[in-house]
Amino acid sequence: GAVVSQHPSWVICKSGTSVKIECRSLDFQATTMFWYRQFPKQSLMLMATSNEGSKATYEQGVEKDKFLINHASLTLSTLTVTSAHPEDSSFYICSARDSVPGREETQYFGPGTRLLVL
Amino acid sequence: AQKVTQAQTEISVVEKEDVTLDCVYETRDTTYYLFWYKQPPSGELVFLIRRNSFDEQNEISGRYSWNFQKSTSSFNFTITASQVVDSAVYFCALSGHSGYSTLTFGKGTMLLVSP
C-alpha cells in the first residue's frame, strides 16, 4: 500500500515551453501533497504544500506564478513549470501524506521526474 | 526551527560489514516524528521507518535496526551484514505533530557497499 505515481518520469523540452507533471496517490487518499526539487548530490528542497481544494502554500523563494500547483482531487496534484528555462532543469519529486490512523504524518514519495530544459 | 544533521556525507563498506548511519535532530516540539528514507540511484525515496517521539523503543526489521535516544536527540540507523543492494543515499527527516507540519530533511548519507 501507500503507492505514489508520478508522470512523466523524464521530460526534455525547449526553453520557453510549459511542462506539466502529475502526482497520484494510487491506493490512498491524500488531502495534502508536497512538491520537492532536488539538485544533484543534494537534499530535497520543499517547494510547496498542496492541499486538496485550496491554494498551494509556497516556500520562500519559490515563484508561485512559475510553478503552478493544482490539487483538484484527493488523489491527484499537478505541478506546471511555466515558461521553463535551463535553470529549471532538475529532479522534481512529489509526495503524498496519508491520513489513515497510524500512518498520519508519513509522506510517501513518487519516483520523481527529471526535467531537462534545452 | 527544526534541524536534522547527518554528519556522515559518504560511507564506504565492504559487503557483510555492519554500518551505522548517524542522525541528530533539533526541535522545540514536544511531539514530533522521525523518519528514515532510502534513495537508490533510480531516485525514488523509499520509506523505511517512522518513529513517534513518545516511543523510544528500538526497532528491528530484518537487517535494519534503529536506535532512538531522546536524551541525545539521535535516531541512528544500523544495517547489519550490508549488501550491495543497500548502496543508496539515506535521508533522516523530522516533522512536527500538527497537520500543517512539513518534513525537515538532513543532507543525506551516501552509502556505498562494495562486493
Side-chain angles (χ1 to χ4, degrees):
Chain A
V3 178
V4 177
S5 71
Q6 206 170 324
H7 178 80
S9 54
W10 261 104
V11 59
I12 301 174
C13 68
K14 292 182 179 180
S15 187
T17 60
S18 293
V19 175
K20 180 187 278 190
I21 303 170
E22 290 188 352
C23 177
R24 293 181 185 272
S25 56
L26 298 184
D27 53 359
F28 66 100
Q29 293 186 331
T31 53
T32 305
M33 289 184 170
F34 303 85
W35 287 96
Y36 295 83
R37 186 172 179 177
Q38 186 180 33
F39 292 103
K41 297 192 177 184
Q42 292 190 23
S43 188
L44 282 77
M45 181 190 80
L46 179 65
M47 300 175 64
T49 301
S50 167
N51 290 297
E52 186 263 340
S54 63
K55 290 184 178 180
T57 302
Y58 290 82
E59 295 299 302
Q60 193 172 9
V62 178
E63 299 176 57
K64 61 181 181 181
D65 294 331
K66 179 161 188 66
F67 298 101
L68 300 179
I69 291 171
N70 184 277
H71 192 160
S73 78
L74 287 173
T75 59
L76 173 64
S77 176
T78 60
L79 168 69
T80 301
V81 183
T82 61
S83 187
H85 291 285
E87 57 266 29
D88 297 324
S89 299
S90 190
F91 187 52
Y92 293 88
I93 313 174
C94 73
S95 71
R97 185 157 64 195
D98 203 343
S99 57
V100 171
R103 299 212 299 227
E104 316 95 324
E105 300 303 330
T106 300
Q107 291 184 29
Y108 298 94
F109 287 81
T113 297
R114 297 190 187 277
L115 170 63
L116 177 60
V117 184
L118 301 176
Chain B
Q2 297 184 329
K3 184 178 178 182
V4 176
T5 302
Q6 293 180 257
Q8 304 149 309
T9 305
E10 290 184 21
I11 301 176
S12 292
V13 299
V14 177
E15 219 172 7
K16 297 185 183 178
E17 283 186 20
D18 298 348
V19 58
T20 295
L21 309 181
D22 298 332
C23 173
V24 175
Y25 62 92
E26 296 175 29
T27 180
R28 291 183 178 179
D29 292 341
T30 52
T31 303
Y32 49 89
Y33 294 92
L34 293 161
F35 303 83
W36 276 94
Y37 288 90
K38 173 182 179 180
Q39 187 176 39
S42 61
E44 179 174 1
L45 264 80
V46 178
F47 166 73
L48 296 178
I49 189 172
R50 182 189 78 156
R51 174 62 73 214
N52 184 304
S53 56
F54 289 116
D55 182 1
E56 288 194 69
Q57 266 194 323
N58 291 330
E59 181 155 342
I60 298 174
S61 176
R63 296 183 297 108
Y64 295 171
S65 62
W66 291 269
N67 185 320
F68 175 30
Q69 295 208 348
K70 240 174 158 177
S71 60
T72 55
S73 297
S74 65
F75 187 42
N76 296 337
F77 173 30
T78 298
I79 301 175
T80 303
S82 59
Q83 299 176 1
V84 173
V85 293
D86 295 328
S87 297
V89 178
Y90 290 85
F91 289 98
C92 180
L94 166 71
S95 81
H97 185 62
S98 81
Y100 300 99
S101 296
T102 59
L103 274 176
T104 299
F105 281 92
K107 292 188 175 181
T109 297
M110 178 179 288
L111 174 64
L112 177 61
V113 182
S114 51

